[in-house]
Amino acid sequence: MEIPQNIQHQLAQFQQMQQQAQAITMQKQSVDLQIRETEKALEELEKVDEDAEVYKTAGNLLIKMGTAELTEEMTEKLETLKLREKTVSRQEERVMARLKEMQESLQDSMQMQPGMGN
Protein backbone atom coordinates (compact mmCIF):
# COMPACT_ATOMS: atom_id res chain seq x y z
CA MET A 1 0.00 0.00 0.00
CA GLU A 2 1.34 3.39 -0.97
CA ILE A 3 1.37 6.15 1.63
CA PRO A 4 -0.45 9.28 0.40
CA GLN A 5 1.69 12.33 -0.37
CA ASN A 6 0.22 14.46 2.41
CA ILE A 7 1.02 11.81 5.03
CA GLN A 8 4.54 11.38 3.63
CA HIS A 9 5.01 15.14 4.01
CA GLN A 10 3.70 15.07 7.58
CA LEU A 11 6.01 12.16 8.40
CA ALA A 12 9.02 14.05 7.04
CA GLN A 13 8.15 17.13 9.09
CA PHE A 14 7.63 14.96 12.17
CA GLN A 15 11.04 13.35 11.73
CA GLN A 16 12.68 16.77 11.35
CA MET A 17 10.98 17.94 14.55
CA GLN A 18 12.18 14.80 16.35
CA GLN A 19 15.75 15.59 15.27
CA GLN A 20 15.37 19.17 16.47
CA ALA A 21 14.03 17.93 19.83
CA GLN A 22 16.98 15.57 20.18
CA ALA A 23 19.46 18.37 19.40
CA ILE A 24 17.83 20.68 21.96
CA THR A 25 17.87 17.92 24.58
CA MET A 26 21.57 17.37 23.98
CA GLN A 27 22.17 21.12 24.22
CA LYS A 28 20.30 21.22 27.52
CA GLN A 29 22.32 18.31 28.91
CA SER A 30 25.53 20.09 27.93
CA VAL A 31 24.47 23.32 29.66
CA ASP A 32 23.39 21.36 32.76
CA LEU A 33 26.80 19.68 32.89
CA GLN A 34 28.57 23.03 32.58
CA ILE A 35 26.44 24.44 35.40
CA ARG A 36 27.30 21.53 37.69
CA GLU A 37 31.01 21.86 36.86
CA THR A 38 30.98 25.61 37.48
CA GLU A 39 29.11 25.20 40.77
CA LYS A 40 31.64 22.57 41.88
CA ALA A 41 34.53 24.88 40.93
CA LEU A 42 32.97 27.71 42.95
CA GLU A 43 32.55 25.40 45.94
CA GLU A 44 36.23 24.49 45.73
CA LEU A 45 37.22 28.17 45.41
CA GLU A 46 35.35 28.94 48.64
CA LYS A 47 37.55 26.42 50.47
CA VAL A 48 40.90 28.04 49.57
CA ASP A 49 42.51 31.00 51.28
CA GLU A 50 42.14 34.31 49.52
CA ASP A 51 45.91 34.56 48.98
CA ALA A 52 46.24 30.98 47.67
CA GLU A 53 47.52 30.43 44.15
CA VAL A 54 44.70 29.45 41.82
CA TYR A 55 44.77 28.81 38.09
CA LYS A 56 42.25 28.73 35.31
CA THR A 57 42.53 26.88 32.06
CA ALA A 58 42.70 28.70 28.76
CA GLY A 59 43.05 26.08 26.06
CA ASN A 60 46.30 24.23 26.78
CA LEU A 61 47.48 26.86 29.26
CA LEU A 62 46.99 27.37 32.98
CA ILE A 63 46.78 31.03 33.94
CA LYS A 64 47.45 32.21 37.48
CA MET A 65 44.65 34.43 38.84
CA GLY A 66 43.55 35.98 42.08
CA THR A 67 40.95 34.00 43.99
CA ALA A 68 38.50 36.92 44.14
CA GLU A 69 38.90 37.63 40.42
CA LEU A 70 38.38 33.99 39.47
CA THR A 71 35.39 33.68 41.82
CA GLU A 72 33.78 36.72 40.21
CA GLU A 73 34.45 35.36 36.72
CA MET A 74 33.03 31.94 37.61
CA THR A 75 29.95 33.51 39.23
CA GLU A 76 29.25 35.53 36.07
CA LYS A 77 29.73 32.40 33.98
CA LEU A 78 27.25 30.55 36.20
CA GLU A 79 24.65 33.32 35.81
CA THR A 80 25.07 33.22 32.03
CA LEU A 81 24.76 29.43 31.98
CA LYS A 82 21.58 29.54 34.07
CA LEU A 83 20.03 32.05 31.65
CA ARG A 84 21.02 29.78 28.78
CA GLU A 85 19.46 26.83 30.60
CA LYS A 86 16.15 28.70 30.91
CA THR A 87 16.21 29.58 27.22
CA VAL A 88 16.96 26.03 26.15
CA SER A 89 14.28 24.67 28.52
CA ARG A 90 11.68 26.96 26.95
CA GLN A 91 12.78 25.85 23.47
CA GLU A 92 12.53 22.22 24.56
CA GLU A 93 9.00 22.76 25.93
CA ARG A 94 7.85 24.42 22.69
CA VAL A 95 9.37 21.72 20.49
CA MET A 96 7.93 18.91 22.59
CA ALA A 97 4.47 20.50 22.50
CA ARG A 98 4.74 20.92 18.72
CA LEU A 99 5.96 17.34 18.38
CA LYS A 100 2.93 16.09 20.32
CA GLU A 101 0.58 18.15 18.10
CA MET A 102 2.23 16.78 14.98
CA GLN A 103 1.99 13.21 16.26
CA GLU A 104 -1.73 13.61 16.97
CA SER A 105 -2.32 15.18 13.56
CA LEU A 106 -0.39 12.41 11.86
CA GLN A 107 -2.35 9.73 13.70
CA ASP A 108 -5.64 11.41 12.73
CA SER A 109 -4.55 11.60 9.08
CA MET A 110 -3.54 7.95 9.05
CA GLN A 111 -6.83 6.83 10.61
CA MET A 112 -8.74 8.64 7.88
CA GLN A 113 -6.93 6.70 5.16
CA PRO A 114 -8.57 3.42 4.08
CA GLY A 115 -6.53 0.44 5.21
CA MET A 116 -4.24 2.52 7.46
CA GLY A 117 -6.46 3.13 10.50
CA ASN A 118 -7.21 0.68 13.27
Side-chain angles (χ1 to χ4, degrees):
M1 164 175 273
E2 189 173 319
I3 299 174
Q5 191 68 27
N6 67 327
I7 293 179
Q8 287 179 9
H9 181 67
Q10 283 181 310
L11 277 170
Q13 285 183 322
F14 182 73
Q15 288 172 337
Q16 286 177 337
M17 189 62 68
Q18 282 181 315
Q19 290 172 351
Q20 187 177 354
Q22 186 177 23
I24 289 172
T25 299
M26 290 174 62
Q27 216 176 14
K28 186 177 180 217
Q29 289 172 347
S30 173
V31 171
D32 287 342
L33 178 62
Q34 290 176 53
I35 287 172
R36 285 193 305 276
E37 288 175 348
T38 304
E39 287 173 340
K40 181 68 176 164
L42 280 167
E43 285 175 23
E44 292 301 317
L45 272 173
E46 289 174 6
K47 295 176 186 177
V48 299
D49 293 331
E50 195 166 310
D51 58 346
E53 289 185 2
V54 292
Y55 298 85
K56 83 169 195 174
T57 59
N60 293 331
L61 301 174
L62 288 175
I63 300 173
K64 186 176 179 178
M65 293 185 75
T67 306
E69 181 184 5
L70 187 55
T71 300
E72 182 179 336
E73 186 177 304
M74 299 290 287
T75 301
E76 288 175 12
K77 178 182 178 179
L78 184 60
E79 289 173 10
T80 301
L81 286 168
K82 286 185 176 185
L83 284 174
R84 179 76 182 128
E85 179 187 38
K86 286 180 186 177
T87 301
V88 173
S89 290
R90 283 194 302 268
Q91 284 178 327
E92 184 181 43
E93 288 171 11
R94 283 194 301 269
V95 166
M96 293 308 228
R98 179 70 179 122
L99 200 54
K100 185 178 178 185
E101 289 173 13
M102 291 174 80
Q103 181 179 10
E104 291 169 358
S105 174
L106 193 55
Q107 287 172 341
D108 290 346
S109 295
M110 289 176 71
Q111 287 177 353
M112 286 189 236
Q113 294 299 316
M116 294 188 82
N118 290 335

